[in-house]
Amino acid sequence: MRKNSIKNTRVNGEVQKELSIIIRNEIKDPRIHPMTSVMAVEVAPDLKTCKAYISVLGDKEAKDATIKGLVSAEGYIRRQLAKSLNLRNTPEIRFILDESIEYGVNMSKLIDDVTKKDSSPEEPQE
């Protein structure tokens, strides 16, 4: 795997910023959950494709509906990206559900539960 160049890193950041603004402010699809955020964006060096990692705070149905809504609005999102970013090519976007935050919260909760059990004072034996 190639190391990202400075230009590619900058393009990733700009696409992520614009994508989050478009999803939050401009898309009116009711399937898209209001607590949707763009976690990361990986734009290919040739600017043809882009992977957008999306995190949704909600249940499984909300996550599935949000991804379906984003996939159906991909043409509009791409057109808005082309207007706001001055790139040679506007990348074709693939939306990928990112559950790393939810996984981290669950792991943190499990660790807290274990530490509470260990730190609770034991009853003295008589």
Side-chain angles (χ1 to χ4, degrees), residues 94-109:
R94 280 186 33 223
F95 295 102
I96 300 169
L97 188 61
D98 183 20
E99 296 179 338
S100 61
I101 291 178
E102 194 171 322
Y103 179 77
V105 168
N106 285 339
M107 283 294 133
S108 179
K109 184 174 167 264

Side-chain angles (χ1 to χ4, degrees), residues 32-47:
I32 297 175
H33 197 271
M35 293 297 288
T36 300
S37 57
V38 181
M39 299 308 299
V41 170
E42 292 177 6
V43 180
D46 63 354
L47 303 177

Side-chain angles (χ1 to χ4, degrees), residues 33 56-66 97 99 102:
H33 197 271
V56 180
L57 187 66
D59 58 350
K60 178 119 176 77
E61 292 83 28
K63 292 176 184 181
D64 292 340
T66 298
L97 188 61
E99 296 179 338
E102 194 171 322

